[in-house]
Amino acid sequence: MDKELLDALNIQLNREFHSAYFYLAMAAYFERENLKGFAKWMRAQAKEEADHAMKFFDFINERNETVVLKPIEVPKQTWSSPLEVFKDAYEHEQKVSHYIHRLYELAQEKRDYPTQVFLHWFITEQVEEEDQTLQIVELLEKAGDNFAAILELDEQLGSRE
Ligand code: FEO
């Protein structure tokens, strides 16, 4: 595989683990705030991100290339409100989509067709990730300072498997 593309895949593997860390920090914040439903949602999200990282891990191995594990960036760990947390999550997902798209363009430039096909899953997934975080931002904006509405949302998000 082209060296530049392999490096970019390894960087994205690392970014997905950073995403897992980021959501885990958010889960810890919600645990501290006693918002157990939000915490559960974030914990499930962190697990999904680790799965995303492992998809890159498996793909690189399947291509008989070398996985390179680098240090994981320390995430932000404090927020002032649930709304601020989800705004960060949405912004983060937009950034991830951007990275996935750049990676896809690089795979096209290098004419690496298997990588292009591999990335299709992530392109679709990012649409969902952005959509669901934005939906929660909008619901939290509507809830405002109404704690009963926030608790209702907490219960709703807690039903995530
Ligand atoms: Fe791995 Fe939330 O994107």
Side-chain angles (χ1 to χ4, degrees):
M1 186 192 290
D2 175 90
K3 172 85 172 72
E4 192 187 346
L5 182 59
L6 175 60
D7 287 349
L9 286 168
N10 269 310
I11 288 170
Q12 191 56 37
L13 187 167
N14 181 277
R15 285 197 188 114
E16 297 291 345
F17 274 126
H18 172 254
S19 296
Y21 236 37
F22 195 41
Y23 285 115
L24 206 52
M26 291 171 173
Y29 163 80
F30 284 123
E31 291 286 351
R32 292 196 297 278
E33 295 294 310
N34 293 313
L35 290 165
K36 300 290 183 190
F38 283 107
K40 190 178 167 207
W41 193 95
M42 284 299 178
R43 201 181 276 233
Q45 188 66 23
K47 229 181 240 173
E48 264 195 15
E49 297 298 349
D51 289 344
H52 294 173
M54 292 311 292
K55 280 184 191 282
F56 281 94
F57 180 94
D58 288 338
F59 181 70
I60 294 167
N61 278 318
E62 277 168 15
R63 296 290 300 274
N64 295 304
E65 298 290 354
T66 302
V67 164
V68 180
L69 299 174
K70 297 262 177 72
I72 300 166
E73 189 190 330
V74 175
K76 176 175 171 179
Q77 305 192 36
T78 54
W79 290 269
S80 61
S81 67
L83 177 59
E84 198 197 333
V85 176
F86 273 93
K87 275 185 173 171
D88 274 4
Y90 175 55
E91 219 174 86
H92 181 76
E93 289 305 334
Q94 285 181 303
K95 226 185 282 170
V96 174
S97 298
H98 171 82
Y99 289 138
I100 296 287
H101 297 163
R102 295 293 84 78
L103 195 49
Y104 189 78
E105 284 163 11
L106 185 63
Q108 283 181 318
E109 199 185 294
K110 304 294 181 184
R111 299 183 180 216
D112 188 313
Y113 301 107
T115 299
Q116 289 173 38
V117 173
F118 167 71
L119 289 172
H120 284 170
W121 185 89
F122 283 91
I123 292 168
T124 308
E125 174 73 5
Q126 281 312 120
V127 173
E128 192 190 309
E129 300 266 275
E130 283 188 40
D131 180 49
Q132 67 181 6
T133 45
L134 182 60
Q135 260 182 43
I136 300 168
V137 165
E138 288 171 354
L139 289 172
L140 283 167
E141 276 171 347
K142 280 196 188 106
D145 290 334
N146 181 344
F147 196 61
I150 292 173
L151 278 183
E152 201 176 301
L153 196 54
D154 182 61
E155 202 180 313
Q156 201 182 313
L157 294 191
S159 63
R160 178 178 183 173
E161 288 313 319

